[in-house]
Amino acid sequence: MRAFVIFAGLALIGAMTFTILSFSAAPAPGPVADKPFTETLQDRLKRLPGDYRGWAQLASQYVDQARTTGDPSYYTKAEGAIATAARLKAEDDAVLTGQAALAAGRHEFAEAVRLAERAIDVNPYGAPAYGVLADARTQLGDLRGARRAVDEMLGLRPGVAAFARASYAAELRGDTAKAREYLEMAENDAWQPADLAYARYYLGELALHSGDLATAAGWYAKALQAYPGYTPALAGQARTAALSGRLTEALGLYQSVVERLPLPQYLIEQGETRIKAGRPADWTLLRAQRELFRAAGVRDDLTWAEFEADHGDPARAVEHARAEYARNPNLVAADALAWALFKAGKPAEALPYAEKATATGWRNPLLKYHRAKIEQALGRSVKVDAGFDPTLSALARFS
């Protein structure tokens, strides 16, 4: 989901070489121009091991690296860094925000809310804590609470991170025009290539989920112009190619995507595109990723509920979906549970969850398709969107 990765996508590619600059107060004698002193965050912490905010910053960067590289071992590194920060000053707002970000990264959203709120109690003017709070409340299905946190963030620090969250909040309540407006504000505010690519990518996603493949492709291309290494935009190009019927092109693009970033969503999209092209899907790497994430303390029942419902065992899908919904009763979890129950032959039990998933007006084609199929199974006269391709359902899910 978009809110879950917002703070990972904003100017964080390559963040592990965080650099500190300092300039002398007076010019050095002679004709040689001043040169800035550069120091990585890791070097600074070796020199100043008591810098608790530096340790918190390092932990946050490790969390971001886990998300941007697909390597869950960074969560373990983040845990070590934030534990050091907490030993030095447990009640610092930056330390608490770092702990909240790690909890969110591991899908422990209730704990993320608790820690973010503690950070806000310590420093009510810390915008990053409101960002983590908004993300975690969204995942818990508390859209009103998330919107309040977004509004606080907008008031404290209007910028790419706040505008992106405001866009997602608007989209979830069905206001696509406002969502686009906020993303355009994010694009106008962005100055770092990764931020610019991020805003353009999600403008592409808005267009894609509205069925405008040409506009979506244009935004993905612009995102890659801003930052050629921005893998989500390459995945966007793969989606538009697959949904346009250019399956060979799409598979070539997906191969590049998963070689760079083997996230479960991309692996499932690649597999579905292979099936669409008449080729067998290989889920070996996907299952290996599940074990890696599990070993790193990440619990992701949502991905497996969706995967098992479409490509595996519906009964197991229901187990995963119930577990996810019990922890995180958000719109996507409600949809996953509805679809799993439907695939398990229980459309009457599925319907209330499908209704909840579509109750806010979110214009998500996958959610609408799932609800329509469930209602049809119950004998209701409902039209299914003829333009939606259920064989490529993973491509309609939000990254």
Side-chain angles (χ1 to χ4, degrees):
M1 289 179 67
R2 173 145 65 110
F4 174 58
V5 296
I6 281 174
F7 50 89
L10 306 175
L12 292 166
I13 306 297
M16 296 311 298
T17 55
F18 176 82
T19 301
I20 300 167
L21 300 175
S22 65
F23 295 86
S24 58
V32 180
D34 286 348
K35 292 184 178 180
F37 167 70
T38 63
E39 183 180 44
T40 66
L41 179 55
Q42 291 92 329
D43 289 340
R44 175 181 171 82
L45 291 172
K46 289 177 183 177
R47 183 170 58 84
L48 298 171
D51 180 4
Y52 53 87
R53 288 200 161 215
W55 285 108
Q57 175 73 14
L58 182 62
S60 294
Q61 291 180 2
Y62 281 139
V63 171
D64 297 328
Q65 285 294 300
R67 292 169 178 153
T68 58
T69 65
D71 182 353
S73 68
Y74 280 110
Y75 288 124
T76 305
K77 296 179 181 180
E79 186 176 17
I82 203 64
T84 300
R87 283 195 299 270
L88 292 166
K89 193 168 183 180
E91 291 304 309
D92 179 75
D93 68 292
V95 175
L96 290 164
T97 301
Q99 290 175 318
L102 175 58
R106 285 176 159 168
H107 296 195
E108 298 167 358
F109 298 113
E111 179 67 0
V113 166
R114 186 185 70 83
L115 290 164
E117 288 180 337
R118 281 180 59 191
I120 291 166
D121 287 341
V122 173
N123 176 16
Y125 303 102
Y130 285 105
V132 180
L133 180 61
D135 298 339
R137 286 204 175 282
T138 299
Q139 296 298 319
L140 291 170
D142 181 7
L143 299 187
R144 290 184 179 179
R147 188 173 181 180
R148 287 194 298 270
V150 170
D151 288 343
E152 290 285 351
M153 192 179 187
L154 284 168
L156 289 167
R157 190 185 297 175
V160 176
F163 293 145
R165 287 177 170 88
S167 169
Y168 190 50
E171 186 171 3
L172 289 179
R173 61 180 184 266
D175 192 345
T176 304
K178 195 66 177 179
R180 185 180 301 107
E181 179 183 335
Y182 274 122
L183 282 177
E184 289 169 351
M185 291 168 69
E187 186 198 18
N188 291 334
D189 186 74
W191 60 274
Q192 294 195 40
D195 286 0
L196 192 57
Y198 176 89
R200 291 175 174 178
Y201 166 71
Y202 275 110
L203 282 163
E205 289 290 274
L206 276 179
L208 182 78
H209 291 284
S210 297
D212 188 349
L213 299 183
T215 298
W219 279 118
Y220 298 142
K222 289 178 181 178
L224 289 169
Q225 288 171 2
Y227 197 95
Y230 194 67
T231 305
L234 188 64
Q237 290 187 324
R239 287 185 201 113
T240 56
L243 292 170
S244 299
R246 305 192 309 274
L247 299 178
T248 300
E249 177 187 344
L251 287 172
L253 290 167
Y254 272 125
Q255 187 61 35
S256 297
V257 168
V258 299
E259 286 174 357
R260 292 188 191 180
L261 189 58
L263 292 178
Q265 175 174 338
Y266 298 154
L267 292 167
I268 294 171
E269 290 180 23
Q270 180 191 42
E272 288 190 352
T273 304
R274 288 184 61 86
I275 293 170
K276 181 76 173 178
R279 306 180 191 181
D282 184 354
W283 307 118
T284 305
L285 182 55
L286 175 67
R287 294 190 170 95
Q289 282 290 81
R290 173 174 59 179
E291 297 309 313
L292 288 173
F293 276 92
R294 182 181 294 166
V298 180
R299 187 171 181 183
D300 183 13
D301 283 299
L302 178 62
T303 295
W304 294 99
E306 294 170 336
F307 174 77
E308 293 289 352
D310 286 332
H311 303 289
D313 181 354
R316 191 172 298 170
V318 171
E319 292 177 7
H320 283 296
R322 287 196 191 282
E324 181 70 24
Y325 188 80
R327 294 194 315 275
N328 307 312
N330 56 59
L331 303 181
V332 175
D335 171 70
L337 181 51
W339 191 239
L341 288 165
F342 169 76
K343 294 299 287 284
K346 301 176 180 180
E349 190 177 347
L351 183 59
Y353 296 104
E355 290 174 338
K356 177 174 180 178
T358 55
T360 67
W362 186 17
R363 300 177 185 179
N364 184 305
L366 181 63
L367 272 59
K368 291 182 178 180
Y369 173 79
H370 285 170
R371 177 170 174 173
K373 293 296 290 183
I374 291 167
E375 290 184 329
Q376 282 186 340
L378 293 171
R380 298 186 181 182
S381 179
V382 180
K383 290 184 178 179
V384 175
D385 181 3
F388 183 81
D389 186 349
T391 65
L392 297 174
S393 59
L395 281 63
R397 293 193 170 100
F398 259 42
S399 57

